[in-house]
PDB file of all heavy atoms in Angstrom:
ATOM      1  N   VAL C 603      11.112 -26.681  18.844  1.00 90.00           N
ATOM      2  CA  VAL C 603      12.109 -27.704  18.529  1.00 90.00           C
ATOM      3  C   VAL C 603      11.448 -28.856  17.782  1.00 90.00           C
ATOM      4  O   VAL C 603      10.341 -29.284  18.121  1.00 90.00           O
ATOM      5  CB  VAL C 603      12.783 -28.238  19.810  1.00 90.00           C
ATOM      6  CG1 VAL C 603      13.834 -29.290  19.458  1.00 90.00           C
ATOM      7  CG2 VAL C 603      13.420 -27.100  20.602  1.00 90.00           C
ATOM      8  N   GLY C 604      12.120 -29.335  16.740  1.00 91.00           N
ATOM      9  CA  GLY C 604      11.656 -30.514  16.006  1.00 91.00           C
ATOM     10  C   GLY C 604      12.824 -31.412  15.659  1.00 91.00           C
ATOM     11  O   GLY C 604      13.970 -30.960  15.570  1.00 91.00           O
ATOM     12  N   LYS C 605      12.555 -32.706  15.460  1.00 92.00           N
ATOM     13  CA  LYS C 605      13.589 -33.662  15.080  1.00 92.00           C
ATOM     14  C   LYS C 605      13.388 -34.062  13.622  1.00 92.00           C
ATOM     15  O   LYS C 605      12.257 -34.329  13.209  1.00 92.00           O
ATOM     16  CB  LYS C 605      13.554 -34.880  15.995  1.00 92.00           C
ATOM     17  CG  LYS C 605      13.998 -34.581  17.420  1.00 92.00           C
ATOM     18  CD  LYS C 605      14.086 -35.843  18.245  1.00 92.00           C
ATOM     19  CE  LYS C 605      14.588 -35.535  19.642  1.00 92.00           C
ATOM     20  NZ  LYS C 605      15.980 -35.028  19.629  1.00 92.00           N
ATOM     21  N   PHE C 606      14.487 -34.091  12.849  1.00 94.00           N
ATOM     22  CA  PHE C 606      14.394 -34.295  11.403  1.00 94.00           C
ATOM     23  C   PHE C 606      15.418 -35.304  10.920  1.00 94.00           C
ATOM     24  O   PHE C 606      16.547 -35.375  11.434  1.00 94.00           O
ATOM     25  CB  PHE C 606      14.596 -32.961  10.678  1.00 94.00           C
ATOM     26  CG  PHE C 606      13.504 -31.967  10.942  1.00 94.00           C
ATOM     27  CD1 PHE C 606      13.557 -31.125  12.049  1.00 94.00           C
ATOM     28  CD2 PHE C 606      12.412 -31.883  10.097  1.00 94.00           C
ATOM     29  CE1 PHE C 606      12.546 -30.216  12.295  1.00 94.00           C
ATOM     30  CE2 PHE C 606      11.397 -30.976  10.341  1.00 94.00           C
ATOM     31  CZ  PHE C 606      11.461 -30.149  11.439  1.00 94.00           C
ATOM     32  N   GLU C 607      15.016 -36.054   9.902  1.00 94.00           N
ATOM     33  CA  GLU C 607      15.908 -37.023   9.266  1.00 94.00           C
ATOM     34  C   GLU C 607      16.551 -36.456   8.009  1.00 94.00           C
ATOM     35  O   GLU C 607      17.320 -37.152   7.330  1.00 94.00           O
ATOM     36  CB  GLU C 607      15.132 -38.305   8.926  1.00 94.00           C
ATOM     37  CG  GLU C 607      14.619 -39.032  10.159  1.00 94.00           C
ATOM     38  CD  GLU C 607      13.822 -40.270   9.804  1.00 94.00           C
ATOM     39  OE1 GLU C 607      13.475 -40.424   8.610  1.00 94.00           O
ATOM     40  OE2 GLU C 607      13.537 -41.070  10.709  1.00 94.00           O
ATOM     41  N   TYR C 608      16.214 -35.217   7.698  1.00 94.00           N
ATOM     42  CA  TYR C 608      16.804 -34.533   6.539  1.00 94.00           C
ATOM     43  C   TYR C 608      17.369 -33.196   7.012  1.00 94.00           C
ATOM     44  O   TYR C 608      16.759 -32.500   7.841  1.00 94.00           O
ATOM     45  CB  TYR C 608      15.763 -34.276   5.446  1.00 94.00           C
ATOM     46  CG  TYR C 608      15.221 -35.534   4.803  1.00 94.00           C
ATOM     47  CD1 TYR C 608      14.153 -36.220   5.382  1.00 94.00           C
ATOM     48  CD2 TYR C 608      15.774 -36.041   3.633  1.00 94.00           C
ATOM     49  CE1 TYR C 608      13.654 -37.383   4.811  1.00 94.00           C
ATOM     50  CE2 TYR C 608      15.280 -37.196   3.048  1.00 94.00           C
ATOM     51  CZ  TYR C 608      14.216 -37.869   3.640  1.00 94.00           C
ATOM     52  OH  TYR C 608      13.729 -39.015   3.066  1.00 94.00           O
ATOM     53  N   ASP C 609      18.512 -32.820   6.459  1.00 94.00           N
ATOM     54  CA  ASP C 609      19.137 -31.546   6.812  1.00 94.00           C
ATOM     55  C   ASP C 609      18.541 -30.452   5.912  1.00 94.00           C
ATOM     56  O   ASP C 609      19.154 -29.992   4.947  1.00 94.00           O
ATOM     57  CB  ASP C 609      20.648 -31.640   6.614  1.00 94.00           C
ATOM     58  CG  ASP C 609      21.384 -30.496   7.298  1.00 94.00           C
ATOM     59  OD1 ASP C 609      20.725 -29.495   7.622  1.00 94.00           O
ATOM     60  OD2 ASP C 609      22.593 -30.625   7.506  1.00 94.00           O
ATOM     61  N   ILE C 610      17.315 -30.084   6.229  1.00 93.00           N
ATOM     62  CA  ILE C 610      16.563 -29.161   5.360  1.00 93.00           C
ATOM     63  C   ILE C 610      17.208 -27.781   5.291  1.00 93.00           C
ATOM     64  O   ILE C 610      17.306 -27.205   4.191  1.00 93.00           O
ATOM     65  CB  ILE C 610      15.095 -29.088   5.818  1.00 93.00           C
ATOM     66  CG1 ILE C 610      14.436 -30.466   5.625  1.00 93.00           C
ATOM     67  CG2 ILE C 610      14.336 -28.021   5.035  1.00 93.00           C
ATOM     68  CD1 ILE C 610      13.023 -30.556   6.165  1.00 93.00           C
ATOM     69  N   PRO C 611      17.677 -27.175   6.405  1.00 91.00           N
ATOM     70  CA  PRO C 611      18.324 -25.859   6.280  1.00 91.00           C
ATOM     71  C   PRO C 611      19.514 -25.871   5.326  1.00 91.00           C
ATOM     72  O   PRO C 611      19.679 -24.953   4.519  1.00 91.00           O
ATOM     73  CB  PRO C 611      18.754 -25.550   7.718  1.00 91.00           C
ATOM     74  CG  PRO C 611      17.808 -26.318   8.564  1.00 91.00           C
ATOM     75  CD  PRO C 611      17.568 -27.592   7.814  1.00 91.00           C
ATOM     76  N   ALA C 612      20.346 -26.910   5.404  1.00 92.00           N
ATOM     77  CA  ALA C 612      21.508 -26.986   4.505  1.00 92.00           C
ATOM     78  C   ALA C 612      21.060 -27.171   3.060  1.00 92.00           C
ATOM     79  O   ALA C 612      21.647 -26.599   2.133  1.00 92.00           O
ATOM     80  CB  ALA C 612      22.415 -28.141   4.933  1.00 92.00           C
ATOM     81  N   TRP C 613      20.015 -27.963   2.852  1.00 94.00           N
ATOM     82  CA  TRP C 613      19.468 -28.169   1.503  1.00 94.00           C
ATOM     83  C   TRP C 613      18.969 -26.848   0.923  1.00 94.00           C
ATOM     84  O   TRP C 613      19.240 -26.521  -0.239  1.00 94.00           O
ATOM     85  CB  TRP C 613      18.334 -29.192   1.594  1.00 94.00           C
ATOM     86  CG  TRP C 613      17.531 -29.371   0.345  1.00 94.00           C
ATOM     87  CD1 TRP C 613      17.932 -29.894  -0.839  1.00 94.00           C
ATOM     88  CD2 TRP C 613      16.142 -29.031   0.178  1.00 94.00           C
ATOM     89  NE1 TRP C 613      16.894 -29.904  -1.747  1.00 94.00           N
ATOM     90  CE2 TRP C 613      15.777 -29.378  -1.143  1.00 94.00           C
ATOM     91  CE3 TRP C 613      15.172 -28.481   1.010  1.00 94.00           C
ATOM     92  CZ2 TRP C 613      14.496 -29.182  -1.645  1.00 94.00           C
ATOM     93  CZ3 TRP C 613      13.892 -28.289   0.524  1.00 94.00           C
ATOM     94  CH2 TRP C 613      13.564 -28.634  -0.796  1.00 94.00           C
ATOM     95  N   LEU C 614      18.254 -26.063   1.731  1.00 91.00           N
ATOM     96  CA  LEU C 614      17.745 -24.780   1.258  1.00 91.00           C
ATOM     97  C   LEU C 614      18.869 -23.793   0.973  1.00 91.00           C
ATOM     98  O   LEU C 614      18.736 -22.925   0.113  1.00 91.00           O
ATOM     99  CB  LEU C 614      16.782 -24.183   2.295  1.00 91.00           C
ATOM    100  CG  LEU C 614      15.436 -24.886   2.462  1.00 91.00           C
ATOM    101  CD1 LEU C 614      14.690 -24.350   3.677  1.00 91.00           C
ATOM    102  CD2 LEU C 614      14.583 -24.719   1.211  1.00 91.00           C
ATOM    103  N   SER C 615      19.967 -23.933   1.709  1.00 89.00           N
ATOM    104  CA  SER C 615      21.090 -23.003   1.522  1.00 89.00           C
ATOM    105  C   SER C 615      22.000 -23.396   0.368  1.00 89.00           C
ATOM    106  O   SER C 615      22.863 -22.614  -0.029  1.00 89.00           O
ATOM    107  CB  SER C 615      21.920 -22.934   2.810  1.00 89.00           C
ATOM    108  OG  SER C 615      21.142 -22.473   3.882  1.00 89.00           O
ATOM    109  N   ASP C 616      21.826 -24.595  -0.161  1.00 90.00           N
ATOM    110  CA  ASP C 616      22.669 -25.071  -1.256  1.00 90.00           C
ATOM    111  C   ASP C 616      22.246 -24.392  -2.561  1.00 90.00           C
ATOM    112  O   ASP C 616      21.132 -24.581  -3.035  1.00 90.00           O
ATOM    113  CB  ASP C 616      22.521 -26.593  -1.395  1.00 90.00           C
ATOM    114  CG  ASP C 616      23.556 -27.200  -2.342  1.00 90.00           C
ATOM    115  OD1 ASP C 616      23.986 -26.492  -3.278  1.00 90.00           O
ATOM    116  OD2 ASP C 616      23.908 -28.372  -2.146  1.00 90.00           O
ATOM    117  N   PRO C 617      23.119 -23.572  -3.158  1.00 86.00           N
ATOM    118  CA  PRO C 617      22.739 -22.860  -4.390  1.00 86.00           C
ATOM    119  C   PRO C 617      22.432 -23.796  -5.560  1.00 86.00           C
ATOM    120  O   PRO C 617      21.704 -23.425  -6.478  1.00 86.00           O
ATOM    121  CB  PRO C 617      23.944 -21.971  -4.685  1.00 86.00           C
ATOM    122  CG  PRO C 617      25.096 -22.631  -3.980  1.00 86.00           C
ATOM    123  CD  PRO C 617      24.504 -23.266  -2.758  1.00 86.00           C
ATOM    124  N   LYS C 618      22.970 -25.022  -5.528  1.00 84.00           N
ATOM    125  CA  LYS C 618      22.729 -25.972  -6.618  1.00 84.00           C
ATOM    126  C   LYS C 618      21.370 -26.648  -6.505  1.00 84.00           C
ATOM    127  O   LYS C 618      20.893 -27.250  -7.468  1.00 84.00           O
ATOM    128  CB  LYS C 618      23.836 -27.025  -6.644  1.00 84.00           C
ATOM    129  CG  LYS C 618      25.219 -26.440  -6.936  1.00 84.00           C
ATOM    130  CD  LYS C 618      26.267 -27.543  -6.957  1.00 84.00           C
ATOM    131  CE  LYS C 618      27.649 -26.964  -7.245  1.00 84.00           C
ATOM    132  NZ  LYS C 618      28.698 -28.021  -7.236  1.00 84.00           N
ATOM    133  N   LYS C 619      20.756 -26.571  -5.312  1.00 82.00           N
ATOM    134  CA  LYS C 619      19.451 -27.174  -5.046  1.00 82.00           C
ATOM    135  C   LYS C 619      19.359 -28.622  -5.548  1.00 82.00           C
ATOM    136  O   LYS C 619      18.573 -28.949  -6.426  1.00 82.00           O
ATOM    137  CB  LYS C 619      18.348 -26.316  -5.679  1.00 82.00           C
ATOM    138  CG  LYS C 619      18.143 -24.964  -4.991  1.00 82.00           C
ATOM    139  CD  LYS C 619      17.671 -25.138  -3.565  1.00 82.00           C
ATOM    140  CE  LYS C 619      17.437 -23.799  -2.879  1.00 82.00           C
ATOM    141  NZ  LYS C 619      18.676 -23.062  -2.586  1.00 82.00           N
ATOM    142  N   PRO C 620      20.200 -29.512  -5.010  1.00 90.00           N
ATOM    143  CA  PRO C 620      20.114 -30.927  -5.398  1.00 90.00           C
ATOM    144  C   PRO C 620      18.853 -31.563  -4.819  1.00 90.00           C
ATOM    145  O   PRO C 620      18.125 -30.932  -4.040  1.00 90.00           O
ATOM    146  CB  PRO C 620      21.372 -31.529  -4.768  1.00 90.00           C
ATOM    147  CG  PRO C 620      21.603 -30.674  -3.554  1.00 90.00           C
ATOM    148  CD  PRO C 620      21.204 -29.286  -3.962  1.00 90.00           C
ATOM    149  N   ASP C 621      18.598 -32.805  -5.181  1.00 92.00           N
ATOM    150  CA  ASP C 621      17.446 -33.510  -4.629  1.00 92.00           C
ATOM    151  C   ASP C 621      17.562 -33.571  -3.111  1.00 92.00           C
ATOM    152  O   ASP C 621      18.657 -33.737  -2.552  1.00 92.00           O
ATOM    153  CB  ASP C 621      17.363 -34.933  -5.181  1.00 92.00           C
ATOM    154  CG  ASP C 621      16.993 -34.949  -6.659  1.00 92.00           C
ATOM    155  OD1 ASP C 621      16.487 -33.921  -7.139  1.00 92.00           O
ATOM    156  OD2 ASP C 621      17.210 -35.986  -7.316  1.00 92.00           O
ATOM    157  N   LEU C 622      16.418 -33.499  -2.452  1.00 94.00           N
ATOM    158  CA  LEU C 622      16.403 -33.524  -0.993  1.00 94.00           C
ATOM    159  C   LEU C 622      16.997 -34.821  -0.447  1.00 94.00           C
ATOM    160  O   LEU C 622      17.597 -34.837   0.636  1.00 94.00           O
ATOM    161  CB  LEU C 622      14.969 -33.340  -0.484  1.00 94.00           C
ATOM    162  CG  LEU C 622      14.769 -33.334   1.039  1.00 94.00           C
ATOM    163  CD1 LEU C 622      15.614 -32.261   1.717  1.00 94.00           C
ATOM    164  CD2 LEU C 622      13.289 -33.140   1.373  1.00 94.00           C
ATOM    165  N   LYS C 623      16.859 -35.913  -1.189  1.00 93.00           N
ATOM    166  CA  LYS C 623      17.349 -37.209  -0.709  1.00 93.00           C
ATOM    167  C   LYS C 623      18.854 -37.190  -0.456  1.00 93.00           C
ATOM    168  O   LYS C 623      19.380 -37.981   0.341  1.00 93.00           O
ATOM    169  CB  LYS C 623      16.998 -38.318  -1.693  1.00 93.00           C
ATOM    170  CG  LYS C 623      17.652 -38.194  -3.055  1.00 93.00           C
ATOM    171  CD  LYS C 623      17.186 -39.301  -4.000  1.00 93.00           C
ATOM    172  CE  LYS C 623      17.822 -39.174  -5.379  1.00 93.00           C
ATOM    173  NZ  LYS C 623      17.313 -40.223  -6.303  1.00 93.00           N
ATOM    174  N   LYS C 624      19.568 -36.289  -1.112  1.00 93.00           N
ATOM    175  CA  LYS C 624      21.005 -36.183  -0.899  1.00 93.00           C
ATOM    176  C   LYS C 624      21.333 -35.605   0.472  1.00 93.00           C
ATOM    177  O   LYS C 624      22.489 -35.624   0.898  1.00 93.00           O
ATOM    178  CB  LYS C 624      21.643 -35.341  -2.002  1.00 93.00           C
ATOM    179  CG  LYS C 624      21.577 -36.010  -3.371  1.00 93.00           C
ATOM    180  CD  LYS C 624      22.327 -35.220  -4.419  1.00 93.00           C
ATOM    181  CE  LYS C 624      22.279 -35.939  -5.770  1.00 93.00           C
ATOM    182  NZ  LYS C 624      22.995 -35.206  -6.821  1.00 93.00           N
ATOM    183  N   TYR C 625      20.337 -35.052   1.142  1.00 95.00           N
ATOM    184  CA  TYR C 625      20.523 -34.509   2.484  1.00 95.00           C
ATOM    185  C   TYR C 625      19.873 -35.382   3.542  1.00 95.00           C
ATOM    186  O   TYR C 625      19.608 -34.934   4.644  1.00 95.00           O
ATOM    187  CB  TYR C 625      19.995 -33.071   2.551  1.00 95.00           C
ATOM    188  CG  TYR C 625      20.968 -32.068   1.967  1.00 95.00           C
ATOM    189  CD1 TYR C 625      20.955 -31.771   0.612  1.00 95.00           C
ATOM    190  CD2 TYR C 625      21.920 -31.461   2.773  1.00 95.00           C
ATOM    191  CE1 TYR C 625      21.864 -30.873   0.068  1.00 95.00           C
ATOM    192  CE2 TYR C 625      22.830 -30.562   2.248  1.00 95.00           C
ATOM    193  CZ  TYR C 625      22.790 -30.270   0.895  1.00 95.00           C
ATOM    194  OH  TYR C 625      23.702 -29.386   0.377  1.00 95.00           O
ATOM    195  N   LYS C 626      19.633 -36.647   3.179  1.00 95.00           N
ATOM    196  CA  LYS C 626      19.148 -37.623   4.158  1.00 95.00           C
ATOM    197  C   LYS C 626      20.268 -37.909   5.150  1.00 95.00           C
ATOM    198  O   LYS C 626      21.427 -38.088   4.771  1.00 95.00           O
ATOM    199  CB  LYS C 626      18.752 -38.911   3.432  1.00 95.00           C
ATOM    200  CG  LYS C 626      18.218 -40.015   4.332  1.00 95.00           C
ATOM    201  CD  LYS C 626      16.771 -39.773   4.707  1.00 95.00           C
ATOM    202  CE  LYS C 626      16.128 -41.042   5.283  1.00 95.00           C
ATOM    203  NZ  LYS C 626      16.777 -41.584   6.465  1.00 95.00           N
ATOM    204  N   LEU C 627      19.922 -37.932   6.454  1.00 93.00           N
ATOM    205  CA  LEU C 627      20.909 -38.085   7.510  1.00 93.00           C
ATOM    206  C   LEU C 627      20.896 -39.494   8.093  1.00 93.00           C
ATOM    207  O   LEU C 627      19.841 -40.139   8.147  1.00 93.00           O
ATOM    208  CB  LEU C 627      20.630 -37.071   8.629  1.00 93.00           C
ATOM    209  CG  LEU C 627      20.703 -35.595   8.219  1.00 93.00           C
ATOM    210  CD1 LEU C 627      20.086 -34.727   9.291  1.00 93.00           C
ATOM    211  CD2 LEU C 627      22.146 -35.186   7.972  1.00 93.00           C
ATOM    212  N   PRO C 628      22.045 -39.970   8.555  1.00 92.00           N
ATOM    213  CA  PRO C 628      22.090 -41.306   9.178  1.00 92.00           C
ATOM    214  C   PRO C 628      21.352 -41.341  10.510  1.00 92.00           C
ATOM    215  O   PRO C 628      20.819 -42.376  10.909  1.00 92.00           O
ATOM    216  CB  PRO C 628      23.589 -41.571   9.351  1.00 92.00           C
ATOM    217  CG  PRO C 628      24.217 -40.217   9.369  1.00 92.00           C
ATOM    218  CD  PRO C 628      23.385 -39.367   8.461  1.00 92.00           C
ATOM    219  N   THR C 629      21.349 -40.209  11.211  1.00 92.00           N
ATOM    220  CA  THR C 629      20.617 -40.102  12.478  1.00 92.00           C
ATOM    221  C   THR C 629      19.858 -38.777  12.497  1.00 92.00           C
ATOM    222  O   THR C 629      20.215 -37.827  11.799  1.00 92.00           O
ATOM    223  CB  THR C 629      21.574 -40.141  13.679  1.00 92.00           C
ATOM    224  OG1 THR C 629      22.514 -39.065  13.568  1.00 92.00           O
ATOM    225  CG2 THR C 629      22.308 -41.461  13.751  1.00 92.00           C
ATOM    226  N   GLN C 630      18.848 -38.718  13.326  1.00 91.00           N
ATOM    227  CA  GLN C 630      18.044 -37.500  13.408  1.00 91.00           C
ATOM    228  C   GLN C 630      18.851 -36.347  14.010  1.00 91.00           C
ATOM    229  O   GLN C 630      19.770 -36.559  14.806  1.00 91.00           O
ATOM    230  CB  GLN C 630      16.806 -37.738  14.279  1.00 91.00           C
ATOM    231  CG  GLN C 630      15.712 -38.557  13.628  1.00 91.00           C
ATOM    232  CD  GLN C 630      14.479 -38.614  14.505  1.00 91.00           C
ATOM    233  OE1 GLN C 630      14.542 -38.494  15.721  1.00 91.00           O
ATOM    234  NE2 GLN C 630      13.332 -38.802  13.870  1.00 91.00           N
TER     235      GLN C 630
END
Side-chain angles (χ1 to χ4, degrees):
V603 181
K605 291 186 178 295
F606 294 86
E607 296 178 348
Y608 294 85
D609 195 343
I610 295 174
W613 171 67
L614 290 170
S615 299
D616 191 330
K618 297 180 180 179
K619 290 296 181 289
D621 291 342
L622 180 57
K623 64 183 179 182
K624 293 185 178 180
Y625 281 87
K626 180 79 165 59
L627 299 166
T629 59
Q630 285 186 333

